[in-house]
Amino acid sequence: MAKIKIKQIGSPIRRPESQKKILIGLGLGKMNRVVEREDTPEVLGAIAKLPHMVKIVD
């Protein structure tokens, strides 16, 4: 499977607990962190729920 790089661009401060848990599930939590994940429907769904906090980088 293909890999995608995800960068956190928003802070989890003053966000709902569910959004914080999604970030932790992606392996993020601190600003400007970049992680590499498999390109699966589960990961893409998590990214879709947090468009204001994460972005896909090249």
Side-chain angles (χ1 to χ4, degrees):
M1 284 213 132
K3 298 263 188 178
I4 56 173
K5 288 187 179 180
I6 308 162
K7 181 176 183 176
Q8 182 178 344
I9 58 171
S11 173
I13 296 173
R14 294 187 323 211
R15 301 287 181 191
E17 191 65 30
S18 61
Q19 291 182 3
K20 292 178 186 179
K21 288 182 179 180
I22 292 170
L23 273 180
I24 292 169
L26 286 172
L28 298 168
K30 291 188 179 180
M31 293 289 294
N32 298 313
R33 285 239 171 115
V34 178
V35 294
E36 194 168 308
R37 295 285 173 254
E38 293 286 333
D39 188 7
T40 62
E42 292 84 4
V43 171
L44 294 177
I47 293 169
K49 287 189 172 208
L50 302 173
H52 55 288
M53 295 177 71
V54 298
K55 71 175 182 177
I56 298 175
V57 295
D58 294 332

